[in-house]
Amino acid sequence: MSAPLVNVRAQKVPPLSLYVHMPWCVRKCPYCDFNSHAVSADGVPEAAYIDALLNDLDADLAHFSQDWSQRPLQSIFIGGGTPSLISPNGYVRLFAGIRARLSWADDIEITLEANPGTVEQGLFEGYRAAGINRLSIGVQTFQGEQLKALGRIHSGDEALRAASTARAAGFERINLDLMHGLPGQSVAAACDDLAQAIALGVTHLSWYQLTLEPNTVFYRQQPILPDEDVLADIQEQGEVLLAQAGFQRYEVSAFAQADQACRHNLNYWQFGDYLGIGAGAHGKLTLANSADITTASAEIWRSTKTRMPKDYLAAYSAAQSTGIPSVAAYQAKLERIASIDLPFEFMLNALRLTNGVPSAYWSERTGLSLNTIASTLAELRRQGLLEHTPDRLQASALGLRFLNRAIDAFLPEHSEPASR
């Protein structure tokens, strides 16, 4: 399927970010359903993969033809897998290639995911020198037995040391990923994890409950998890502990100190645009036939790249034989989001934010009138699932508790006829 050739002015379309997927891990964790693959004995094919990433980006930029100089990147997020398996010099080369193709905002946020078992002081300093200015460290827990149960390769001491060495290397913005509701976990143990994370002086915490996802070892061989009462107590006491330490909950599972929210993830949740490169990466891009999509026929496209690293690298080899970057070589799926699906797509993101989004974002970022979803909004407000704030689209405290119920109300089978 081919996208139209259009000319879009950046100030009238959503902010633009870039997601880069690094698909390799030392080994696959039993709870993980992300696109990650154990690295082979030959190691990560770093040089070839970076070449493929840049060729993939070339293909996207050529296919979605527009004046890219008017759409500076606001953020770059490097996820995985374990991106800290790539060397600092690899990121220097990658960033140079991206800069040659896209302009960057002066205050661009560049986040790297890292695992405590794969980094040391010298690497952190190298990543900082390469231009990375935010780290997200996958701790999950500081408890040794829990780490073993989760299949993690680091110890609790290594997790503590990773955060400290990151700060010593000059990183001021650090997120820790922590899970709760682990097999056999008590309320006290979950809160102890939070207390240790807070004591490290990090600026952001992603604190989320372990869920058993299909296509994982844990789904096939399910561990015994805490019961609902224990999970509720963990959530309640944990949120109190975080609030007392100055962490504001701004998304379902994200807590930040003042002005330390992840700008890249905010762009996702506010229905911004993002290019996605790398094996299995996802992207979302808004195109319009006019500078103002509220008065034009907006087109919003989603893309998914080839999932398996070997197939992704093979696509690059094939592209090299022709000398022409082809979007078809990397795309597993490329489709325009139909208007009837936009309410669910938009609310799936926006309602995760505790403060929601300005109501104006609906028209600005979908091209549809707010009348399109007016009766659904009214019904959810009547049920107490949305706040009665006409200038914001925001879940209530009850709505955050029953978020799936609120979001499902915007599924196509419940939607009103689209109008512009």
Side-chain angles (χ1 to χ4, degrees):
M1 186 178 291
S2 177
L5 301 181
V6 295
N7 183 18
V8 182
R9 294 220 304 269
Q11 67 270 24
K12 292 296 184 180
V13 289
L16 181 68
S17 296
L18 174 67
Y19 176 75
V20 182
H21 193 74
M22 301 296 184
W24 292 282
C25 283
V26 174
R27 70 183 182 206
K28 183 83 170 180
C29 294
Y31 60 86
C32 179
D33 69 335
F34 295 136
N35 185 34
S36 59
H37 308 269
V39 67
S40 71
D42 296 329
V44 174
E46 180 175 301
Y49 192 70
I50 290 172
D51 287 340
L53 288 171
L54 294 173
N55 190 256
D56 183 4
L57 181 57
D58 282 335
D60 272 1
L61 299 183
H63 183 74
F64 295 106
S65 179
Q66 54 188 276
D67 185 357
W68 290 106
S69 67
Q70 298 301 309
R71 299 201 69 182
L73 288 178
Q74 305 299 311
S75 64
I76 299 173
F77 195 102
I78 306 154
T82 305
S84 48
L85 291 175
I86 304 294
S87 72
N89 285 338
Y91 286 114
V92 169
R93 189 162 77 87
L94 176 64
F95 295 156
I98 296 170
R99 271 190 176 275
R101 293 160 171 81
L102 289 165
S103 59
W104 293 17
D106 291 339
D107 62 345
I108 189 170
E109 175 191 88
I110 305 178
T111 300
L112 176 79
E113 289 186 339
N115 283 339
T118 61
V119 288
E120 55 191 24
Q121 180 74 32
L123 277 178
F124 277 137
E125 292 171 349
Y127 293 140
R128 188 73 185 90
I132 294 161
N133 53 28
R134 185 177 181 273
L135 283 178
S136 181
I137 304 176
V139 170
Q140 312 312 346
T141 177
F142 295 101
Q143 311 300 320
E145 289 303 311
Q146 295 286 1
L147 286 168
K148 290 179 183 178
L150 293 174
R152 305 296 288 175
I153 65 172
H154 65 271
S155 67
D157 286 343
E158 285 176 315
L160 292 167
R161 201 158 48 243
S164 299
T165 54
R167 289 179 62 84
F171 284 97
E172 297 178 355
R173 303 187 66 209
I174 301 172
N175 168 68
L176 296 187
D177 277 353
L178 286 176
M179 289 196 296
H180 60 86
L182 305 180
Q185 188 179 51
S186 66
V187 176
C191 289
D192 185 63
D193 273 345
L194 282 177
Q196 290 191 71
I198 291 166
L200 290 169
V202 298
T203 56
H204 190 285
L205 287 168
S206 297
W207 189 56
Y208 50 94
Q209 183 180 323
L210 171 64
T211 55
L212 305 181
E213 302 290 349
N215 302 316
T216 65
V217 172
F218 271 8
Y219 192 81
R220 295 189 296 272
Q221 304 169 17
Q222 297 191 5
I224 298 175
L225 302 181
D227 63 32
E228 292 298 323
D229 289 339
V230 172
L231 292 174
D233 287 343
I234 289 174
Q235 188 74 38
E236 181 179 352
Q237 294 186 34
E239 288 183 11
V240 169
L241 190 62
L242 287 163
Q244 290 173 342
F247 284 87
Q248 179 183 358
R249 184 190 189 194
Y250 70 97
E251 189 267 343
V252 169
S253 58
F255 301 78
Q257 295 283 354
D259 301 319
Q260 293 297 320
C262 177
R263 298 204 301 270
H264 186 88
N265 286 343
L266 277 175
N267 191 42
Y268 289 159
W269 296 322
Q270 293 171 347
F271 214 55
D273 280 355
Y274 51 97
L275 294 161
I277 58 174
H282 291 249
K284 175 247 173 187
L285 194 64
T286 304
L287 306 177
N289 295 318
S290 159
D292 185 350
I293 72 167
T294 62
T295 59
S297 179
E299 294 188 359
I300 302 174
W301 291 75
R302 285 208 183 277
S303 63
T304 306
K305 301 299 172 67
T306 299
R307 180 179 175 84
M308 297 300 293
K310 63 180 181 62
D311 296 333
Y312 185 83
L313 288 167
Y316 172 63
S317 296
Q320 286 297 95
S321 66
T322 64
I324 302 173
S326 169
V327 72
Y330 297 101
Q331 299 282 4
K333 190 174 185 180
L334 177 63
E335 62 181 355
R336 179 182 174 181
I337 303 175
S339 294
I340 195 171
D341 294 319
L342 281 172
F344 179 78
E345 292 274 348
F346 183 92
M347 295 300 178
L348 180 65
N349 293 281
L351 294 185
R352 290 183 62 89
L353 293 168
T354 56
N355 289 330
V357 298
S359 298
Y361 277 17
W362 168 256
S363 294
E364 291 173 2
R365 300 191 175 183
T366 69
L368 299 175
S369 165
L370 197 61
N371 290 334
T372 304
I373 54 173
S375 67
T376 305
L377 294 175
E379 176 59 21
L380 290 175
R381 285 169 177 151
R382 187 192 67 78
Q383 295 177 24
L385 297 175
L386 295 187
E387 294 286 0
H388 291 269
T389 48
D391 60 334
R392 298 196 70 79
L393 301 172
Q394 178 183 358
S396 63
L398 181 67
L400 287 171
R401 184 179 174 187
F402 298 101
L403 189 58
N404 288 343
R405 178 177 160 191
I407 292 171
D408 286 352
F410 295 96
L411 283 166
E413 55 264 34
H414 303 142
S415 296
E416 303 150 66
S419 61
R420 293 190 179 273

